């Protein structure tokens, strides 16, 4: 029981995910497809969270790792007999390769992790907006290269004929694994050290934490999980273009994380399930659905418009996200201690709240606005 | 017009759950100099920032000329005739001295008399008048402090809030500074002076309050400068 | 292409992106907000020109300015809850607004694009020796110079300009001195809207098809320029915008034609290198104050 309570921040969300996945089994076939897509999107968001949530550094670049994972897995798993004709410029090694499902997912994770590690060595020296823009640059370069260097990427064509293996079991298992890794990491020594750098990187640095190294670990782990997510994605869709793993996906997954609550695993899961779920529902509704005796058919374009409004409203009026960036608390204890505030506080909360400063000498810029 | 210019009525300020000032009451009459001393973290700067509207009050009220200003914005409070010279001066180092002074004019309720006040501060601080085209960041520490005070004065304040004006200055420069403060007082501007140099402050001010951990613990008059016991308390808060 | 021709074309794009960069930097200065939705102001301007087809030119220009500046002010109201938010929240919020607006344009006007039909004859070229220079190129450079001159006069010589610079450099102190915060922020949005409208008019001639991401494709390089130049300060940010525009054209010419598709990679690789070598910006000089975020 105590163990369960200790692991509840992982177990609780895992139960929710499992319930969603199982519940999806009872829905019509087309809806099942949507549920699968929701689960895979959640994997991407959790992978993103591992870096952004724990480090407090905004990254637009994690989708790069999803992209390389997706194309590594997709190109390696697509049938060897059609690749040379569809992609004549592909290097022979890739063209002749044809590997199985599990190998392909492992490859995706490895490639994503390796890419993140290499990119992270220089980039993790940056913080704030510089880091945001630099990771954005990585995403642009990744897309540009995959789209135009036909020796290693699909070019502007659609990569298709990839075995579709990400069904209910693979999507759910994949998500549960990624969540478990994320939780074990954030509660480990490494994760705790990195989270200590979120509020005040300089203070953490002076107390002996190597900010660059801790960020690099998280960035690499996030790359591994992102690459893996890309593998799941490509095996779910069966075909993919470079534009599907580009700016739109980067933005929408980041928005999901912020809507849920950027600083907690619970926030990542809730945000992803809610927004991806809403997205799936609206996509269905645009095609026309029947709820009870009520027919609903939304005009095309409603989906993205609604998503935009929901995300903007949440970010403007609940900036710490729907979960307040807190982990899920054990619901059954008699004396419910609130979570200790500091480790789960939102990113860079206003310096006026810093407990150590009994008197802020001079003026405090954060306290000026109404 | 009330007899009291500035009145703090049971004021409390906190950062998050940490109280910085507790239940502080004090008054400043027109033309009066009131000192506020105490060790680091006693809540002195916070008090000044709260008067200026930079920090919101947790409890209590602040009145200026009998009107509550506790909920007003800093720029509105400035235009009422309150001017703050923040600790660390907060001049604009990349702007010219002239531009720094011009910014001070924004706090005036009326443009009338602006030229007269500019002329006055230039006479008061000749070093500033001589370097009006230079970047303010190139001035010496003492000159930067003079500039910060001059900038506050051209807003034609009725009360001047000074936060540790002597910090980091050589003793001779401090003397010059206090000479200037005396001239400002003689012009009828009330001064609320936060200082670490208790001796100097107690001697200069009409009244000096001693703060400790956000509480007002003692009030001294100029005659107490010679009272070693009371001065010791003032030093150690 | 001759060298002079290249320089002229590069300067024209540089001038345009410098204006966009300045619009971004103005708002950032007073609010510490990087407005990803700034590009949508340009798109609003473009669709305004689409909807006013057939009107007299003067009225169309006027309409573009009014609608874009009004939209900019509307954004200011939308962003008010963000004034105390963290950098991450602000970034995502403006990104969300950008996303929402682009999809709104998609919903209303569809993906295929609408012709703007605005002063198309300005695309004709004049020939000087072996140079072929389009009128709009000259106009872009001239407009850039005039507006940058106007802005530097406004910021450097007027009282409101002084207030804006003070608010950008030290917001709290500015308020203590009596700067009206709300008014300065609104003014920043008006000016940045004004610049967006001016950019729209030039773009509308050069790229006569309005699409939902019309402004976004201009915003991205300009924003990169702002960060590379130095976000916290107006002049470095504007120079950064100019440098990105200039470099895009020059690199596009220097790269061998087979690898020209990799222009973006080269450009953004340079961006990363600059960020690593000079995190405070390329043009901020030695005294650049470290970014607070």
């Amino acid at each position: 029981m105590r163990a369960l309570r200790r692991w509840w921040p992982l177990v609780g969300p895992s139960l929710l995910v499992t319930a969603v996945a199982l519940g999806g089994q009872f829905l019509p076939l087309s809806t099942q497809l949507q549920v699968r897509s929701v689960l895979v999107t959640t994997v991407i968001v959790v992978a993103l969270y591992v870096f952004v949530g724990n480090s407090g550094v905004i990254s637009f670049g994690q989708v790069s790792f999803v992209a390389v994972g997706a194309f590594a897995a997709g190109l390696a798993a697509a049938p060897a007999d059609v690749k040379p004709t569809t992609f004549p410029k592909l290097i022979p090694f890739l063209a002749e390769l044809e590997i199985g499902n599990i190998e392909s997912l492992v490859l995706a994770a490895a490639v994503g992790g390796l890419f993140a590690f290499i990119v992270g060595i220089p980039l993790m020296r940056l913080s704030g907006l510089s880091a945001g823009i630099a990771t954005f640059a990585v995403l642009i370069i990744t897309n540009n290269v995959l789209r135009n260097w036909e020796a290693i990427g699909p070019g502007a064509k659609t990569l298709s004929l990839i075995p579709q293996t990400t069904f209910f079991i693979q999507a759910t298992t994949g998500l549960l694994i990624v969540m478990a890794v994320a939780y074990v990491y954030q509660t480990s020594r490494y994760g705790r050290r990195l989270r200590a750098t979120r509020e005040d990187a300089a203070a953490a640095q002076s107390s002996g934490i190597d900010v660059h190294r801790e960020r690099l670990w998280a960035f690499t782990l996030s790359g591994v999980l992102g690459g893996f997510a890309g593998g799941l994605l490509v095996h779910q869709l069966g075909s993919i273009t470079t534009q599907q793993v580009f700016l739109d996906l980067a933005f929408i997954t980041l928005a999901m994380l912020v809507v849920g609550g950027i600083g907690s695993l619970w926030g990542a899961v809730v945000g992803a399930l809610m927004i991806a779920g809403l997205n799936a529902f609206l996509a269905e509704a645009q095609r026309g659905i029947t709820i009870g005796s009520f027919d609903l058919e939304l005009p095309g374009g409603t989906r993205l418009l609604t998503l935009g409004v929901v995300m903007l409203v949440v970010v403007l009026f609940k900036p710490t996200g729907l979960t307040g960036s807190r982990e899920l608390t054990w619901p059954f204890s008699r004396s419910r201690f609130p979570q200790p505030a500091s480790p789960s506080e939102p990113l860079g909360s206003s310096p006026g709240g810093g407990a150590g400063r009994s008197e802020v000498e001079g003026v405090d810029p954060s306290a000026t606005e109404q | 017009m009330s007899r009291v210019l500035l009145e703090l009525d049971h004021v409390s300020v906190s950062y998050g759950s940490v109280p910085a000032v507790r239940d502080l009451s004090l008054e400043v009459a027109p033309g009066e100099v009131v000192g506020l001393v105490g060790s680091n973290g006693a809540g002195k700067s916070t008090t000044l920032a709260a008067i200026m509207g930079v920090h919101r009050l947790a409890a209590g009220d602040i009145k200026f000329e009998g009107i509550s200003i506790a909920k007003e914005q800093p720029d509105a409070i400035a235009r009422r005739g309150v001017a703050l010279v923040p600790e660390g001066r907060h001049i604009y180092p990349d702007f010219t001295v002239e531009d720094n002074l011009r910014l001070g004019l924004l706090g005036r309720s009326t443009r009338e008399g602006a030229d007269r006040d500019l002329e006055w501060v230039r006479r008061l601080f000749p070093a500033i008048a001589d370097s009006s085209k230079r970047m303010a960041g190139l001035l010496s520490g003492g000159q930067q402090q003079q500039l910060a005070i001059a900038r506050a004065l051209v807003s034609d304040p009725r009360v001047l809030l000074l936060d540790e004006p002597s910090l980091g200055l050589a003793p001779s420069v401090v003397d010059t500074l206090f000479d200037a403060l005396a001239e400002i007082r003689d012009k009828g501007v009330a001064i609320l002076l936060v200082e670490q140099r208790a001796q100097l402050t107690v001697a200069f001010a009409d009244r000096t309050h001693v703060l400790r951990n956000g509480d007002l613990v003692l009030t001294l008059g100029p005659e107490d400068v010679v009272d070693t016991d009371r001065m010791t308390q003032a030093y150690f808060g | 292409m001759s060298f002079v021709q290249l320089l002229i074309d590069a300067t024209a794009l540089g001038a345009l992106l410098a204006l966009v960069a300045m619009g971004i930097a103005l708002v950032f200065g007073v609010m510490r907000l990087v407005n990803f939705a700034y590009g949508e102001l340009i798109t609003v301007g473009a669709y305004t020109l689409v909807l006013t087809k057939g009107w007299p030119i003067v009225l169309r220009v006027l309409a573009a300015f009014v609608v874009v500046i009004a939209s900019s002010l509307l954004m200011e109201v939308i962003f008010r809850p963000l004034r105390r938010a963290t950098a991450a929240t602000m970034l995502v919020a403006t990104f969300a607004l950008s996303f929402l607006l682009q999809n709104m344009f998609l919903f209303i006007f569809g993906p295929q694009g609408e012709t703007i039909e605005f002063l198309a004859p300005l695309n004709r070229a004049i020939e000087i020796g072996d140079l072929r220079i389009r009128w709009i190129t000259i106009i872009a450079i001239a407009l850039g110079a005039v507006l940058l001159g106007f802005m530097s006069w406004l910021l450097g010589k007027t009282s409101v300009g002084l207030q804006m610079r003070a608010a950008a450099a030290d917001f709290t102190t500015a308020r203590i001195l009596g700067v009206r915060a709300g008014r300065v922020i609104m003014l920043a949005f008006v000016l940045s809207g004004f610049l967006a409208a001016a950019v729209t008019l030039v773009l509308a001639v050069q790229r006569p098809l309005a699409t939902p991401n019309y402004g976004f494709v201009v915003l991205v390089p300009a924003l990169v320029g702002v960060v590379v130049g130095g976000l916290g300060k107006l002049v470095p940010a504007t120079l950064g915008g100019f440098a990105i525009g200039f470099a895009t054209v020059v690199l596009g010419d220097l790269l061998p034609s087979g690898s020209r598709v990799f222009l973006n990679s080269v450009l953004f690789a340079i961006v990363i290198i600059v960020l690593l070598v000079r995190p405070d910006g390329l043009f901020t000089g030695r005294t650049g104050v470290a970014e607070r975020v």
Side-chain angles (χ1 to χ4, degrees):
Chain A
M1 200 59 177
R2 252 170 115 180
L4 182 62
R5 184 185 298 193
R6 200 179 136 224
W7 287 89
W8 184 246
L10 171 64
V11 174
S14 300
L15 289 176
L16 175 68
V17 163
T18 315
V20 167
L22 283 175
Q25 292 304 98
F26 298 101
L27 295 169
L29 196 63
S30 70
T31 316
Q32 285 189 27
L33 283 172
Q34 297 284 9
V35 172
R36 242 178 277 152
S37 146
V38 168
L39 295 174
V40 173
T41 308
T42 309
V43 179
I44 301 175
V45 176
V46 173
L48 174 69
Y49 155 76
V50 166
F51 177 69
V52 174
N54 291 315
S55 72
V57 177
I58 286 293
S59 171
F60 294 101
Q62 305 313 98
V63 163
S64 317
F65 313 130
V66 177
V68 297
F71 285 102
L75 282 170
D81 47 342
V82 299
K83 269 190 282 193
T85 45
T86 335
F87 305 107
K89 289 184 185 160
L90 211 57
I91 51 170
F93 171 74
L94 268 177
E96 288 154 17
L97 196 64
E98 184 175 342
I99 58 177
N101 175 46
I102 297 294
E103 293 93 317
S104 137
L105 291 176
V106 171
L107 176 72
V111 172
L114 184 67
F115 185 35
F117 180 72
I118 293 168
V119 169
I121 291 172
L123 250 57
M124 289 302 102
R125 305 207 171 274
L126 301 172
S127 332
L129 278 167
S130 301
I133 299 290
T135 53
F136 183 82
V138 170
L139 180 61
I140 303 266
I141 294 172
T142 308
N143 179 267
N144 189 247
V145 168
L146 283 175
R147 199 174 162 75
N148 292 299
W149 192 14
E150 295 181 336
I152 58 154
K157 292 182 207 141
T158 302
L159 173 63
S160 54
L161 293 174
I162 306 148
Q164 281 183 282
T165 52
T166 305
F167 295 115
F168 163 66
I169 301 270
Q170 182 154 310
T172 314
T173 321
L175 176 53
L176 291 176
I177 290 171
V178 168
M179 284 165 62
V181 172
Y183 187 70
V184 168
Y185 169 74
Q186 81 185 49
T187 49
S188 74
R189 249 178 335 146
Y190 303 96
R192 288 204 310 272
R193 279 206 290 255
L194 181 59
R195 288 170 90 88
T197 70
R198 275 194 316 196
E199 302 286 311
D200 191 341
Q205 185 98 43
S206 64
S207 66
I209 296 178
D210 185 342
V211 176
H212 175 254
R213 189 171 61 194
E214 299 304 335
R215 281 185 183 164
L216 183 58
W217 286 137
F219 198 68
T220 306
L221 181 62
S222 174
V224 169
L225 301 180
F228 176 69
L232 289 177
L233 178 69
V234 83
H235 283 294
Q236 179 222 333
L237 296 171
S239 68
I240 191 166
T241 67
T242 50
Q243 299 314 100
Q244 279 172 279
V245 277
F246 194 35
L247 281 177
D248 281 354
L249 186 66
F251 161 63
I252 208 156
T253 47
L254 193 59
M256 285 173 181
L257 183 56
V258 172
V259 164
I262 202 163
S264 69
L265 176 63
W266 179 228
V269 171
V270 167
L273 288 181
M274 281 209 36
I275 300 293
L278 180 65
N279 183 36
F281 170 77
L282 292 169
E284 288 292 294
Q286 276 180 202
R287 256 173 256 143
I289 50 171
T290 307
I291 308 165
S293 59
F294 181 68
D295 287 325
L296 183 66
E297 187 174 346
L298 297 172
T302 323
R303 176 176 67 95
L304 294 174
L305 214 52
T306 314
L307 282 184
V309 172
V310 169
M311 290 186 300
L312 186 64
V313 167
V314 172
V315 174
L316 285 179
F317 298 106
K318 190 89 172 65
T320 56
L322 295 173
T323 65
S325 279
R326 293 199 175 80
E327 293 299 353
L328 188 60
T329 44
W330 177 246
F332 306 114
S333 67
R334 228 164 285 158
S335 60
R336 281 175 65 180
F337 288 104
Q339 282 278 95
S342 49
S344 51
E345 275 291 290
L347 297 173
S349 63
S350 87
R357 307 163 71 174
S358 55
E359 179 177 11
V360 177
E361 298 288 342
V363 284
D364 175 2
S366 76
T368 56
E369 293 301 325
Q370 57 276 62
Chain B
M1 170 84 62
S2 69
R3 189 187 57 81
V4 181
L5 184 63
L6 177 69
E7 180 183 1
L8 274 67
D9 183 13
H10 299 284
V11 164
S12 298
V13 185
S14 38
Y15 296 116
S17 54
V18 185
V21 176
R22 268 188 300 246
D23 203 32
L24 176 67
S25 295
L26 60 85
E27 294 179 348
V28 181
E32 192 179 33
V33 177
V34 175
L36 212 52
V37 297
S39 56
N40 265 333
K44 309 182 300 286
S45 293
T46 307
T47 305
L48 295 193
I51 296 169
M52 205 63 222
V54 176
H55 293 311
R56 290 283 153 244
L57 305 188
D61 195 13
I62 298 175
K63 288 202 179 89
F64 182 71
E65 297 182 326
I67 301 161
S68 173
I69 55 169
K71 293 202 163 56
E72 287 192 5
Q73 298 298 321
D75 55 280
I77 295 172
R79 268 185 298 277
R80 283 189 178 279
V82 184
L84 170 66
V85 180
E87 191 210 347
R89 298 147 199 159
H90 284 259
I91 55 155
Y92 289 91
D94 297 342
F95 294 12
T96 60
V97 169
E98 185 66 29
D99 276 354
N100 269 283
L101 270 186
R102 272 171 66 204
L103 280 167
L105 296 174
L106 295 170
R108 300 181 73 87
S109 51
T110 160
R111 293 290 300 184
E112 217 175 294
D115 292 336
R116 191 195 59 222
D117 286 348
L118 280 169
E119 204 177 306
W120 173 52
V121 298
R122 285 188 182 124
R123 203 157 19 85
L124 195 57
F125 303 117
I128 293 177
D130 294 342
S131 46
S132 66
K133 295 290 174 217
R134 291 178 76 192
M135 291 294 147
L138 298 175
L139 299 178
S140 73
Q143 289 170 338
Q144 291 191 16
Q145 187 63 60
Q146 292 181 351
L147 175 58
I149 295 172
R151 186 178 66 178
L153 287 176
V154 297
S155 74
D156 190 22
R158 304 216 52 213
V159 61
L160 186 63
L161 315 176
L162 285 166
D163 197 349
E164 308 242 8
S166 76
L167 195 72
L169 300 185
S172 65
V173 182
V174 174
D175 289 344
T176 323
L177 186 73
F178 272 77
D179 289 345
L181 292 187
E183 199 176 331
I184 294 165
R185 175 193 55 198
D186 295 344
K187 259 217 128 192
V189 180
I191 298 175
L192 181 55
L193 175 63
V194 160
E195 258 302 335
Q196 298 254 26
R197 301 184 194 228
Q199 184 120 25
L200 206 54
T201 308
V202 172
F204 180 67
D206 297 308
R207 266 172 295 123
T208 299
H209 303 294
V210 182
L211 282 188
R212 184 196 298 152
N213 297 330
D215 293 315
L216 199 162
V217 290
L218 187 67
T219 299
L220 303 167
E223 66 281 2
D224 292 314
V225 171
V226 290
D227 185 333
T228 320
D229 283 354
R230 288 175 72 93
M231 283 311 294
T232 310
Q233 274 187 287
Y235 270 112
F236 295 100
Chain C
M1 202 183 338
S2 83
F3 184 64
V4 179
Q5 177 97 52
L6 180 67
L7 285 188
I8 291 171
D9 288 347
T11 307
L13 186 61
L16 202 67
L17 291 187
L19 294 178
V20 180
M22 184 176 244
I24 298 168
L26 274 171
V27 167
F28 181 85
V30 294
M31 258 190 99
R32 304 281 128 181
L33 174 101
V34 178
N35 188 3
F36 263 98
Y38 188 64
E40 276 58 54
L41 290 178
I42 296 170
T43 315
V44 164
Y47 281 121
T48 305
L49 292 176
V50 167
L51 293 176
T52 54
K53 260 185 266 190
W55 293 22
I57 289 296
V58 179
L59 283 185
R60 291 179 78 186
V61 170
L62 200 64
F65 273 104
V66 169
V67 173
V68 173
I69 292 173
S71 306
S72 187
L73 280 172
L74 190 64
M75 280 191 188
E76 192 267 315
V77 175
I78 292 173
F79 291 144
R80 265 182 207 173
L82 291 177
R83 285 196 194 172
R84 298 189 60 179
T86 62
T89 309
M90 284 193 182
L91 209 58
V92 174
T94 66
F95 222 120
L97 182 63
S98 165
F99 178 84
L100 170 62
L101 290 174
Q102 287 189 45
N103 282 294
M104 199 175 82
F105 301 137
L106 192 66
F107 191 77
I108 299 172
F109 297 101
Q112 72 282 1
E114 301 268 350
T115 55
I116 302 178
E117 294 169 27
F118 179 72
L119 295 175
L122 290 180
N123 280 312
R124 280 203 293 264
I126 47 170
E127 293 185 24
I128 308 165
D130 59 347
L131 290 181
R132 285 181 51 83
I133 304 166
R134 293 188 300 160
W135 281 107
I136 191 63
T137 307
I138 299 168
I139 291 174
I141 295 172
L143 190 71
V146 168
L147 286 180
L148 294 180
F150 168 72
M151 290 300 296
S152 67
W153 169 79
L154 186 80
L155 291 167
K157 300 283 181 232
T158 67
S159 174
V160 283
L162 180 62
Q163 294 182 44
M164 285 196 67
R165 282 190 292 138
D170 183 343
F171 198 81
T172 305
T173 302
R175 299 190 71 197
I176 287 172
L177 295 175
V179 171
R180 289 181 170 89
R183 209 184 273 185
V184 166
I185 290 175
M186 268 169 80
L187 182 68
F189 274 88
V190 167
L191 288 174
S192 81
F194 174 78
L195 291 173
V199 168
T200 307
L201 297 179
V202 175
L203 268 187
V205 178
Q206 294 174 331
R207 307 177 189 180
L209 193 69
T211 52
N213 66 352
Y214 190 79
F216 191 75
V217 296
V218 184
L219 170 92
V220 170
L223 187 60
V224 168
V226 167
V227 175
V228 168
L231 188 53
K233 295 182 174 180
L234 211 53
V235 175
T238 308
L239 285 176
F242 182 85
I244 281 285
F246 196 87
T248 307
V249 175
V250 172
L251 277 177
D253 185 66
L254 288 182
L255 290 176
S257 61
S259 47
R260 210 161 283 172
V261 287
F262 294 110
L263 174 63
N264 265 345
S265 290
V266 176
L267 207 57
F268 280 88
I270 293 174
V271 166
I272 292 178
I273 291 166
V274 169
L275 287 173
L276 288 171
V277 180
R278 296 290 300 266
D280 288 336
L282 205 50
F283 305 121
T284 43
R286 200 167 44 77
T287 56
V289 183
E291 196 54 52
R292 204 166 55 80
V293 278

